């Protein structure tokens, strides 16, 4: 199995090395990732400037650093490596649940794979740089990869999130709740006003969702689709607001 690994934290993130090490248990691994952090860049691509890459040293792995977004990396990786079976993205330093899915570069890399018809799996955890190491997560990440890589799940795209100390695994749906997109003014060293855009969920967690699973210390696995169409509204408005 050919496993292409990317992320949005940059090629030198400890999360990508941990993921690559685990992935070698399932197949041949190659890392193609952004040379700088691209968190919250979503599925941006770089169609109006050239991309290039250089080799990087990430342990024993064949690795390349790209001057582009996570989606650019996946496109280059799939272009250069024939018959990629799966793209793994992560392990992100920070969860990607609920509305974060709209902003996440980690998830976008997996989505980019699915757009090419290749299985895509995004993996995220609370920041390990702040909270310790990956030792507690690895056995659960192994179970996730075993399920998603060897047991033919129905969906092509999955979003996986780990609590710091997992107790089990759970299939979930994305929690889409209203959030507070707070803009907070601050001052830069030159006295000029700058702004932070911080988006926090403001509604309670709903059972069965990704946020709920994490609150129970369960690993959340959400199957996703690329079609954003609201089928219920389409059916209703086709009838009620017919042209
Ligand atoms: Mn990130």
């Amino acid at each position: 199995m050919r496993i292409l690994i990317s992320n949005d934290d940059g090629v030198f993130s400890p999360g990508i090395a941990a993921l690559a090490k685990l992935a070698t248990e399932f197949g041949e691994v190659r890392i193609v990732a952004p040379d700088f952090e691209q968190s919250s860049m979503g599925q941006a691509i770089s169609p109006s400037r050239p991309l290039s890459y250089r080799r990087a040293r990430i342990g024993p792995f064949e690795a390349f650093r790209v001057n582009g977004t996570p989606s650019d990396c996946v496109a280059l990786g799939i272009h250069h490596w024939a018959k990629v079976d799966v793209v793994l993205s992560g392990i992100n330093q920070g969860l990607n649940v609920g509305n974060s899915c709209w902003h996440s570069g980690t998830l976008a890399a997996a989505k980019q794979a699915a757009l090419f018809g290749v299985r895509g799996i995004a993996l995220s955890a609370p920041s390990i740089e702040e909270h310790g190491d990956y030792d507690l997560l690895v056995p659960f990440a192994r179970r996730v990869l075993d399920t998603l890589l060897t047991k033919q799940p129905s969906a092509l795209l999955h979003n996986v999130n780990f609590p710091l100390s997992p107790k089990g695994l759970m299939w979930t749906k994305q929690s889409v709740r209203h959030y507070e997109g707070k803009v907070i003014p601050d001052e830069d060293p030159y006295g000029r006003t700058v702004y932070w855009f911080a988006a926090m969920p403001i509604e309670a967690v709903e059972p069965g969702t990704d946020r709920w699973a994490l609150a129970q210390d369960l690993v959340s696995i959400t199957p996703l689709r690329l079609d954003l169409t609201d089928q219920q509204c389409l059916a209703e408005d086709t009838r009620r607001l017919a042209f």
Side-chain angles (χ1 to χ4, degrees), residues 22-42:
L22 176 60
T24 53
E25 296 176 18
F26 295 87
E28 201 183 343
V29 167
R30 184 182 284 186
I31 296 172
V32 181
D35 52 4
F36 297 107
E37 182 174 353
Q38 303 276 335
S39 292
S40 293
M41 289 294 284

PDB file of all heavy atoms in Angstrom, residues 22-42:
ATOM      1  N   LEU A  22       3.984   5.314  12.393  1.00  0.00           N
ATOM      2  CA  LEU A  22       2.881   4.360  12.531  1.00  0.00           C
ATOM      3  C   LEU A  22       2.462   3.814  11.161  1.00  0.00           C
ATOM      4  O   LEU A  22       2.181   2.619  11.006  1.00  0.00           O
ATOM      5  CB  LEU A  22       1.693   5.045  13.218  1.00  0.00           C
ATOM      6  CG  LEU A  22       0.421   4.220  13.358  1.00  0.00           C
ATOM      7  CD1 LEU A  22       0.676   2.952  14.177  1.00  0.00           C
ATOM      8  CD2 LEU A  22      -0.681   5.052  14.001  1.00  0.00           C
ATOM      9  N   ALA A  23       2.432   4.690  10.169  1.00  0.00           N
ATOM     10  CA  ALA A  23       1.946   4.296   8.830  1.00  0.00           C
ATOM     11  C   ALA A  23       2.833   3.237   8.189  1.00  0.00           C
ATOM     12  O   ALA A  23       2.352   2.446   7.373  1.00  0.00           O
ATOM     13  CB  ALA A  23       1.840   5.527   7.941  1.00  0.00           C
ATOM     14  N   THR A  24       4.115   3.185   8.560  1.00  0.00           N
ATOM     15  CA  THR A  24       5.010   2.169   7.971  1.00  0.00           C
ATOM     16  C   THR A  24       4.541   0.751   8.308  1.00  0.00           C
ATOM     17  O   THR A  24       4.920  -0.198   7.633  1.00  0.00           O
ATOM     18  CB  THR A  24       6.465   2.322   8.468  1.00  0.00           C
ATOM     19  OG1 THR A  24       6.468   2.349   9.888  1.00  0.00           O
ATOM     20  CG2 THR A  24       7.105   3.581   7.936  1.00  0.00           C
ATOM     21  N   GLU A  25       3.717   0.610   9.356  1.00  0.00           N
ATOM     22  CA  GLU A  25       3.164  -0.715   9.683  1.00  0.00           C
ATOM     23  C   GLU A  25       2.144  -1.162   8.628  1.00  0.00           C
ATOM     24  O   GLU A  25       1.774  -2.334   8.577  1.00  0.00           O
ATOM     25  CB  GLU A  25       2.476  -0.683  11.064  1.00  0.00           C
ATOM     26  CG  GLU A  25       3.432  -0.400  12.211  1.00  0.00           C
ATOM     27  CD  GLU A  25       2.710  -0.281  13.546  1.00  0.00           C
ATOM     28  OE1 GLU A  25       1.551  -0.733  13.655  1.00  0.00           O
ATOM     29  OE2 GLU A  25       3.307   0.283  14.482  1.00  0.00           O
ATOM     30  N   PHE A  26       1.649  -0.195   7.832  1.00  0.00           N
ATOM     31  CA  PHE A  26       0.581  -0.505   6.881  1.00  0.00           C
ATOM     32  C   PHE A  26       1.044  -0.440   5.422  1.00  0.00           C
ATOM     33  O   PHE A  26       0.329  -0.897   4.538  1.00  0.00           O
ATOM     34  CB  PHE A  26      -0.588   0.461   7.075  1.00  0.00           C
ATOM     35  CG  PHE A  26      -1.248   0.309   8.420  1.00  0.00           C
ATOM     36  CD1 PHE A  26      -0.786   1.003   9.522  1.00  0.00           C
ATOM     37  CD2 PHE A  26      -2.325  -0.558   8.582  1.00  0.00           C
ATOM     38  CE1 PHE A  26      -1.373   0.857  10.771  1.00  0.00           C
ATOM     39  CE2 PHE A  26      -2.922  -0.712   9.825  1.00  0.00           C
ATOM     40  CZ  PHE A  26      -2.452  -0.012  10.925  1.00  0.00           C
ATOM     41  N   GLY A  27       2.194   0.154   5.163  1.00  0.00           N
ATOM     42  CA  GLY A  27       2.639   0.243   3.777  1.00  0.00           C
ATOM     43  C   GLY A  27       3.851   1.133   3.605  1.00  0.00           C
ATOM     44  O   GLY A  27       4.516   1.524   4.575  1.00  0.00           O
ATOM     45  N   GLU A  28       4.092   1.471   2.341  1.00  0.00           N
ATOM     46  CA  GLU A  28       5.225   2.297   1.949  1.00  0.00           C
ATOM     47  C   GLU A  28       4.851   3.766   2.167  1.00  0.00           C
ATOM     48  O   GLU A  28       3.768   4.182   1.744  1.00  0.00           O
ATOM     49  CB  GLU A  28       5.462   2.032   0.460  1.00  0.00           C
ATOM     50  CG  GLU A  28       6.804   2.362  -0.082  1.00  0.00           C
ATOM     51  CD  GLU A  28       6.842   2.101  -1.592  1.00  0.00           C
ATOM     52  OE1 GLU A  28       5.944   1.379  -2.115  1.00  0.00           O
ATOM     53  OE2 GLU A  28       7.734   2.646  -2.229  1.00  0.00           O
ATOM     54  N   VAL A  29       5.735   4.523   2.812  1.00  0.00           N
ATOM     55  CA  VAL A  29       5.394   5.884   3.227  1.00  0.00           C
ATOM     56  C   VAL A  29       6.234   6.928   2.502  1.00  0.00           C
ATOM     57  O   VAL A  29       7.446   6.753   2.330  1.00  0.00           O
ATOM     58  CB  VAL A  29       5.610   6.012   4.760  1.00  0.00           C
ATOM     59  CG1 VAL A  29       5.589   7.463   5.194  1.00  0.00           C
ATOM     60  CG2 VAL A  29       4.557   5.217   5.524  1.00  0.00           C
ATOM     61  N   ARG A  30       5.569   7.999   2.101  1.00  0.00           N
ATOM     62  CA  ARG A  30       6.289   9.168   1.590  1.00  0.00           C
ATOM     63  C   ARG A  30       5.635  10.420   2.157  1.00  0.00           C
ATOM     64  O   ARG A  30       4.406  10.531   2.185  1.00  0.00           O
ATOM     65  CB  ARG A  30       6.239   9.200   0.057  1.00  0.00           C
ATOM     66  CG  ARG A  30       7.044  10.344  -0.539  1.00  0.00           C
ATOM     67  CD  ARG A  30       6.936  10.387  -2.056  1.00  0.00           C
ATOM     68  NE  ARG A  30       7.746   9.366  -2.722  1.00  0.00           N
ATOM     69  CZ  ARG A  30       7.888   9.294  -4.041  1.00  0.00           C
ATOM     70  NH1 ARG A  30       7.272  10.156  -4.829  1.00  0.00           N
ATOM     71  NH2 ARG A  30       8.633   8.348  -4.588  1.00  0.00           N
ATOM     72  N   ILE A  31       6.469  11.376   2.602  1.00  0.00           N
ATOM     73  CA  ILE A  31       5.957  12.620   3.182  1.00  0.00           C
ATOM     74  C   ILE A  31       6.112  13.757   2.177  1.00  0.00           C
ATOM     75  O   ILE A  31       7.212  13.972   1.654  1.00  0.00           O
ATOM     76  CB  ILE A  31       6.738  12.981   4.473  1.00  0.00           C
ATOM     77  CG1 ILE A  31       6.522  11.909   5.554  1.00  0.00           C
ATOM     78  CG2 ILE A  31       6.351  14.359   4.990  1.00  0.00           C
ATOM     79  CD1 ILE A  31       7.399  12.093   6.790  1.00  0.00           C
ATOM     80  N   VAL A  32       5.025  14.442   1.889  1.00  0.00           N
ATOM     81  CA  VAL A  32       5.073  15.664   1.072  1.00  0.00           C
ATOM     82  C   VAL A  32       4.238  16.700   1.822  1.00  0.00           C
ATOM     83  O   VAL A  32       3.011  16.564   1.916  1.00  0.00           O
ATOM     84  CB  VAL A  32       4.511  15.442  -0.345  1.00  0.00           C
ATOM     85  CG1 VAL A  32       4.618  16.732  -1.154  1.00  0.00           C
ATOM     86  CG2 VAL A  32       5.249  14.302  -1.057  1.00  0.00           C
ATOM     87  N   ALA A  33       4.898  17.711   2.376  1.00  0.00           N
ATOM     88  CA  ALA A  33       4.187  18.627   3.274  1.00  0.00           C
ATOM     89  C   ALA A  33       4.693  20.055   3.100  1.00  0.00           C
ATOM     90  O   ALA A  33       5.782  20.281   2.564  1.00  0.00           O
ATOM     91  CB  ALA A  33       4.364  18.159   4.720  1.00  0.00           C
ATOM     92  N   PRO A  34       3.904  21.020   3.569  1.00  0.00           N
ATOM     93  CA  PRO A  34       4.297  22.429   3.408  1.00  0.00           C
ATOM     94  C   PRO A  34       5.584  22.757   4.176  1.00  0.00           C
ATOM     95  O   PRO A  34       5.821  22.211   5.251  1.00  0.00           O
ATOM     96  CB  PRO A  34       3.117  23.200   4.025  1.00  0.00           C
ATOM     97  CG  PRO A  34       1.978  22.239   4.072  1.00  0.00           C
ATOM     98  CD  PRO A  34       2.579  20.885   4.220  1.00  0.00           C
ATOM     99  N   ASP A  35       6.396  23.660   3.617  1.00  0.00           N
ATOM    100  CA  ASP A  35       7.636  24.018   4.314  1.00  0.00           C
ATOM    101  C   ASP A  35       7.382  24.950   5.496  1.00  0.00           C
ATOM    102  O   ASP A  35       8.218  25.040   6.389  1.00  0.00           O
ATOM    103  CB  ASP A  35       8.691  24.596   3.350  1.00  0.00           C
ATOM    104  CG  ASP A  35       8.180  25.721   2.490  1.00  0.00           C
ATOM    105  OD1 ASP A  35       7.007  26.144   2.668  1.00  0.00           O
ATOM    106  OD2 ASP A  35       8.937  26.188   1.622  1.00  0.00           O
ATOM    107  N   PHE A  36       6.217  25.628   5.509  1.00  0.00           N
ATOM    108  CA  PHE A  36       5.841  26.461   6.655  1.00  0.00           C
ATOM    109  C   PHE A  36       4.416  26.130   7.085  1.00  0.00           C
ATOM    110  O   PHE A  36       3.641  25.581   6.308  1.00  0.00           O
ATOM    111  CB  PHE A  36       5.928  27.956   6.302  1.00  0.00           C
ATOM    112  CG  PHE A  36       7.307  28.402   5.964  1.00  0.00           C
ATOM    113  CD1 PHE A  36       7.647  28.698   4.650  1.00  0.00           C
ATOM    114  CD2 PHE A  36       8.284  28.505   6.943  1.00  0.00           C
ATOM    115  CE1 PHE A  36       8.930  29.096   4.323  1.00  0.00           C
ATOM    116  CE2 PHE A  36       9.567  28.902   6.628  1.00  0.00           C
ATOM    117  CZ  PHE A  36       9.900  29.197   5.313  1.00  0.00           C
ATOM    118  N   GLU A  37       4.096  26.513   8.320  1.00  0.00           N
ATOM    119  CA  GLU A  37       2.761  26.194   8.832  1.00  0.00           C
ATOM    120  C   GLU A  37       1.672  26.833   7.972  1.00  0.00           C
ATOM    121  O   GLU A  37       1.768  27.995   7.583  1.00  0.00           O
ATOM    122  CB  GLU A  37       2.614  26.662  10.280  1.00  0.00           C
ATOM    123  CG  GLU A  37       1.244  26.281  10.814  1.00  0.00           C
ATOM    124  CD  GLU A  37       1.049  26.560  12.291  1.00  0.00           C
ATOM    125  OE1 GLU A  37       1.997  26.938  12.986  1.00  0.00           O
ATOM    126  OE2 GLU A  37      -0.112  26.391  12.727  1.00  0.00           O
ATOM    127  N   GLN A  38       0.641  26.040   7.694  1.00  0.00           N
ATOM    128  CA  GLN A  38      -0.479  26.480   6.860  1.00  0.00           C
ATOM    129  C   GLN A  38      -1.805  26.196   7.560  1.00  0.00           C
ATOM    130  O   GLN A  38      -2.807  25.924   6.900  1.00  0.00           O
ATOM    131  CB  GLN A  38      -0.455  25.715   5.528  1.00  0.00           C
ATOM    132  CG  GLN A  38       0.823  25.853   4.731  1.00  0.00           C
ATOM    133  CD  GLN A  38       0.837  27.089   3.880  1.00  0.00           C
ATOM    134  OE1 GLN A  38      -0.210  27.611   3.516  1.00  0.00           O
ATOM    135  NE2 GLN A  38       2.015  27.585   3.572  1.00  0.00           N
ATOM    136  N   SER A  39      -1.809  26.239   8.906  1.00  0.00           N
ATOM    137  CA  SER A  39      -3.032  25.944   9.643  1.00  0.00           C
ATOM    138  C   SER A  39      -4.123  26.952   9.301  1.00  0.00           C
ATOM    139  O   SER A  39      -3.840  28.134   9.082  1.00  0.00           O
ATOM    140  CB  SER A  39      -2.762  25.962  11.146  1.00  0.00           C
ATOM    141  OG  SER A  39      -1.939  24.879  11.503  1.00  0.00           O
ATOM    142  N   SER A  40      -5.352  26.476   9.254  1.00  0.00           N
ATOM    143  CA  SER A  40      -6.540  27.289   8.949  1.00  0.00           C
ATOM    144  C   SER A  40      -6.521  27.882   7.544  1.00  0.00           C
ATOM    145  O   SER A  40      -7.233  28.837   7.266  1.00  0.00           O
ATOM    146  CB  SER A  40      -6.729  28.420   9.971  1.00  0.00           C
ATOM    147  OG  SER A  40      -7.050  27.877  11.225  1.00  0.00           O
ATOM    148  N   MET A  41      -5.720  27.300   6.650  1.00  0.00           N
ATOM    149  CA  MET A  41      -5.692  27.772   5.262  1.00  0.00           C
ATOM    150  C   MET A  41      -6.772  27.094   4.430  1.00  0.00           C
ATOM    151  O   MET A  41      -6.948  27.415   3.261  1.00  0.00           O
ATOM    152  CB  MET A  41      -4.328  27.497   4.625  1.00  0.00           C
ATOM    153  CG  MET A  41      -3.223  28.361   5.163  1.00  0.00           C
ATOM    154  SD  MET A  41      -3.455  30.099   4.745  1.00  0.00           S
ATOM    155  CE  MET A  41      -2.961  30.085   3.025  1.00  0.00           C
ATOM    156  N   GLY A  42      -7.476  26.136   5.053  1.00  0.00           N
ATOM    157  CA  GLY A  42      -8.520  25.437   4.328  1.00  0.00           C
ATOM    158  C   GLY A  42      -7.969  24.775   3.076  1.00  0.00           C
ATOM    159  O   GLY A  42      -6.812  24.346   3.044  1.00  0.00           O
TER     160      GLY A  42
END
